[in-house]
Amino acid sequence: LEFRRVLFRSAINLTALRGFSAGDTVSPETLAQKGIVKTLGGALPKVKILSNGELSAKLSFVGCTVSEGARKKIEGAGGTIK
């Protein structure tokens, strides 16, 4: 039998991050804690941040991929992407 690893992904718009405060870290773990993404069998999804919406808080993004539009908005608000 051949087993294939299924990638569990979740796309998140900037509008979904309103529950985060300036200085917070946005990661798959913190998104799951806030109920923004769901886990599958305890596994965290691969998260991609999309640019729909505005961002005014300075947030740090860790372990997420980010669209080019979202990158501009995050960096424009003083946030970082690692």
Side-chain angles (χ1 to χ4, degrees):
L1 291 174
E2 180 182 327
F3 292 96
R4 294 182 185 199
R5 184 174 179 199
V6 176
L7 293 179
F8 178 40
R9 297 186 176 169
S10 189
I12 305 298
N13 287 311
L14 290 174
T15 54
L17 305 178
R18 291 186 182 142
F20 286 87
S21 301
D24 284 353
T25 297
V26 178
S27 67
E29 293 84 4
T30 59
L31 290 167
Q33 288 168 1
K34 291 186 179 279
I36 297 171
V37 299
K38 298 189 184 318
T39 60
L40 181 62
L44 292 166
K46 301 233 182 246
V47 173
K48 181 165 188 175
I49 307 296
L50 304 177
S51 65
N52 190 9
E54 294 303 319
L55 183 67
S56 58
K58 180 180 176 180
L59 301 174
S60 176
F61 290 79
V62 178
C64 302
T65 57
V66 179
S67 72
E68 188 59 36
R71 176 178 297 279
K72 290 177 183 175
K73 290 181 179 183
I74 291 164
E75 291 173 348
T80 60
I81 303 164
K82 297 179 184 176

